[in-house]
């Protein structure tokens, strides 16, 4: 999955355009890179991981390697009283706030979806779905530096540019991606997407920005017969300088051509190879993933992973249409790590053979990323409020640490070397 773009952190290795397709096809990208070295780490900073505790409204800061011990915790909703007052005075905002609670929030408010650090490690930038905004929180004081209300009524996944200066955020109810200056919160651009924009990924050179729109995922119309009600699901690629659209990928046509008309075309988490030639992606309702050739513009392989016999076959019980939700790739590009969300396990898959390793029991794993040293896949276990590391080489669990309520996104970041939490006020 995309990871924090601060200098010295793992860089998202999304790719340049394929030269032969330069007029009509933009290049792919990658979600992995070599781990940061001490010499590359910004002076005075330490590498950590941010863990967003969605229902808590907190973010834990943990070690990026080793035992992944917790270093500190940040309250990402210090302005909760003001936001609730504002929502309560606006019937339309209140209706959407309650809708988020009963829909994607599974009966809970969604206070943190995604988070990154500023390049200097002084602040955490957080998207807050229930408050429909993005805020920058000072890591020393815990105070809000700036706030950007997104268009519509819900904010979602984010991505940071390779130079760490811009952050892109999906505004899921307005079918828009906003791109902000990460230091000031000023909007520098925006673009239209398909229905319900979800994941965002920058290319390695920062020239292109990919967005995956997943369509409607909160209705009970989950039988394949009703697939047409899910909306416009597509990948939109834009020039990250002008925000002009340069490519649209309709996976429905590619899936049909591959002979998988039975699969949803709602692209969920993705992972790109280090050479940027292949895209691996999950889709709604499917316990597995697909391989897409970027230059060839076609699906080349599919991997069906084991189904947990204890998983309820009723698709309406699967959270936000997810069966599996979370992918990451080892820095050498040889292994994929997959979070099998509704099947309660995670596994490492050999990319060449697509053979899975041991099924590591995990409770509702919701995300997968890569540790600071590149040796482990790190998953969030939202069902047991833990973050767990799985060794890429052996496929075995190597560490697990308790975090807050319903962890989802996990991102590499940098904080001041002496940081242990915001100062008490």
């Amino acid at each position: 999955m995309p990871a924090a773009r601060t200098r010295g952190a793992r860089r998202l290795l999304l790719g340049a355009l394929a030269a032969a397709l330069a007029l009509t096809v933009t290049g792919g990208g990658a979600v992995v890179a070599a781990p940061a070295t001490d010499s590359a780490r910004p002076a005075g900073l330490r590498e950590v991981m941010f863990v967003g505790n969605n229902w808590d409204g907190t973010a834990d800061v943990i070690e990026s390697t080793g035992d992944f011990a917790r270093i500190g915790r940040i309250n990402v909703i210090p302005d909760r009283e003001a936001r609730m007052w504002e929502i309560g005075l606006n019937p339309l905002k209140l209706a959407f706030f309650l809708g988020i609670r009963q829909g994607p929030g599974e009966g809970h408010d969604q206070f943190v979806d995604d988070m990154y650090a500023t390049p200097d490690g002084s602040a955490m930038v957080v998207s807050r779905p229930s408050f429909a905004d993005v805020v920058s929180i000072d890591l020393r004081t815990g105070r809000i530096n700036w706030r950007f209300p997104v268009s519509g009524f819900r904010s979602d996944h984010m991505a940071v540019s390779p130079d760490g200066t811009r952050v892109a955020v999906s505004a899921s109810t307005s079918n828009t991606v906003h791109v902000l200056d990460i230091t000031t919160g000023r909007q520098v651009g925006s673009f239209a997407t398909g229905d319900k924009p979800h994941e965002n990924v920058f290319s390695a050179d920062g020239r292109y920005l990919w967005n995956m729109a997943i369509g409607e995922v909160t209705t009970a119309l989950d039988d394949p017969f009703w697939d047409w009600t899910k909306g416009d699901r597509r990948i939109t690629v834009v020039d990250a300088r002008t925000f002009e659209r340069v490519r649209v990928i309709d996976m429905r046509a590619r899936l049909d051509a591959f002979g998988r008309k039975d699969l949803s075309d709602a692209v969920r988490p993705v992972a790109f190879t280090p050479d940027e030639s292949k895209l691996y992606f999950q889709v709604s309702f499917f316990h597995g993933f697909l391989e897409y050739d970027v230059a060839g513009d076609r699906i080349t392989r599919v991997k069906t992973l084991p189904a947990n016999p204890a998983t309820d076959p009723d698709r309406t019980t699967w959270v936000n249409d997810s069966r599996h939700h979370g992918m990451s790739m080892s820095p050498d590009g040889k292994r994929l790590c997959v979070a099998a969300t509704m099947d309660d396990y995670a596994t490492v898959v050999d990319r060449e053979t697509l053979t899975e390793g041991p099924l590591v029991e995990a409770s509702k794993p919701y995300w997968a990323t890569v540790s600071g040293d590149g040796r482990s896949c790190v998953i969030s276990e939202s069902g047991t409020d833990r973050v767990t590391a799985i060794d890429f080489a052996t496929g075995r669990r190597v560490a697990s640490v308790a975090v807050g309520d319903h962890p989802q996104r996990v991102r590499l970041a940098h904080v001041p070397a002496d940081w242990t939490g915001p100062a008490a006020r």
Side-chain angles (χ1 to χ4, degrees):
M1 306 313 295
R5 295 307 189 99
T6 52
R7 201 176 97 204
R10 288 183 307 108
R11 295 181 183 274
L12 296 175
L13 292 180
L14 276 182
L17 296 179
L21 302 173
L23 294 179
T24 58
V25 182
T26 66
V31 187
V32 296
T37 63
D38 289 338
S39 62
R41 189 165 297 147
L45 300 181
R46 68 188 293 190
E47 185 183 69
V48 298
M49 280 184 156
F50 288 164
V51 182
N53 303 312
N54 194 15
W55 297 348
D56 258 1
T58 64
D60 282 314
V61 180
I62 65 174
E63 298 283 1
S64 65
T65 59
D67 61 3
F68 298 88
R70 197 176 81 180
I71 300 166
R73 176 170 287 180
I74 301 164
N75 175 18
V76 304
I77 50 171
D79 58 340
R80 179 175 183 172
E81 184 176 349
R83 298 283 76 77
M84 293 303 296
W85 180 260
E86 177 185 80
I87 290 167
L89 292 176
N90 186 314
L92 188 57
K93 286 185 177 181
L94 179 59
F96 273 92
F97 178 86
L98 296 175
I100 291 169
R101 177 184 293 172
Q102 296 306 316
E106 303 172 66
H108 301 263
D109 298 322
Q110 292 193 311
F111 288 131
V112 49
D113 187 275
D114 217 341
M115 70 253 109
Y116 288 94
T118 54
D120 63 2
S122 67
M124 171 188 285
V125 177
V126 187
S127 60
R128 308 188 300 181
S130 288
F131 290 162
D133 65 10
V134 181
V135 293
S136 170
I137 297 178
D138 188 291
L139 288 173
R140 291 293 193 187
T141 67
R143 295 186 176 94
I144 292 177
N145 296 317
W146 55 257
R147 174 174 180 258
F148 180 87
V150 302
S151 56
F153 302 95
R154 186 177 182 274
S155 55
D156 200 52
H157 285 237
M158 300 198 299
V160 168
S161 59
D163 62 5
T165 63
R166 294 171 296 154
V167 60
V169 58
S170 289
S172 58
T173 66
S174 68
N175 301 342
T176 301
V177 170
H178 302 281
V179 183
L180 314 177
D181 181 292
I182 202 168
T183 302
T184 67
R186 180 180 64 88
Q187 178 170 284
V188 297
S190 66
F191 62 93
T193 68
D195 291 333
K196 299 298 173 63
H198 193 54
E199 181 132 40
N200 295 291
V201 187
F202 278 93
S203 62
D205 58 7
R207 187 175 178 184
Y208 299 100
L209 176 56
W210 289 52
N211 175 265
M212 292 66 171
I214 61 174
E216 182 56 64
V217 298
T218 59
T219 70
L221 301 176
D222 294 340
D223 185 275
F225 175 81
W226 297 107
D227 184 73
W228 58 272
T229 68
K230 296 292 185 177
D232 178 14
R233 294 157 294 184
R234 55 182 161 95
I235 297 174
T236 301
V237 187
V238 300
D239 185 306
R241 297 165 298 181
T242 66
F243 307 104
E244 294 295 323
R245 183 186 301 167
V246 293
R247 185 184 181 192
V248 173
I249 304 172
D250 174 10
M251 279 299 178
R252 177 74 277 142
R254 279 76 175 171
L255 286 164
D256 291 353
F258 184 67
R260 294 306 301 261
K261 294 183 178 182
D262 59 310
L263 294 181
S264 168
D265 59 350
V267 176
R268 310 305 288 263
V270 302
F272 287 81
T273 54
D275 67 2
E276 306 167 352
S277 64
K278 298 289 193 299
L279 166 69
Y280 295 86
F281 64 96
Q282 295 165 314
V283 297
S284 291
F285 306 116
F286 181 51
H287 51 100
F289 59 87
L290 296 109
E291 177 187 79
Y292 172 76
D293 182 276
V294 176
D297 189 23
R298 64 191 183 94
I299 293 171
T300 47
R301 291 192 293 176
V302 62
K303 172 63 178 179
T304 302
L305 285 164
N308 186 337
T311 299
D312 190 335
D314 180 0
R315 288 157 58 120
T316 65
T317 66
W318 301 350
V319 177
N320 299 324
D321 293 358
S322 298
R323 180 72 184 257
H324 289 184
H325 190 281
M327 296 185 75
S328 64
M329 187 176 293
S330 60
D332 61 9
K334 294 182 178 180
R335 297 174 180 87
L336 284 159
C337 179
V338 179
T341 309
M342 301 311 300
D343 289 306
D344 288 333
Y345 70 81
T347 189
V348 174
V349 178
D350 181 278
R351 194 173 70 83
E352 181 178 359
T353 65
L354 297 188
T355 302
E356 71 270 15
L359 305 186
V360 179
E361 184 178 352
S363 181
K364 195 183 169 189
Y366 221 94
W367 196 247
T369 189
V370 180
S371 62
D373 60 12
R375 296 177 180 176
S376 300
C377 165
V378 180
I379 62 170
S380 59
E381 293 195 55
S382 61
T384 53
D385 301 337
R386 304 190 70 82
V387 166
T388 295
I390 299 169
D391 185 87
F392 272 117
T394 66
R396 303 289 182 182
R397 185 192 317 265
V398 293
S400 189
V401 60
V403 291
D405 193 7
H406 206 263
Q408 290 188 211
R409 230 64 64 224
V410 183
R411 302 291 193 188
L412 276 172
H414 283 117
V415 300
D418 62 348
W419 188 89
T420 57
R425 286 184 284 161

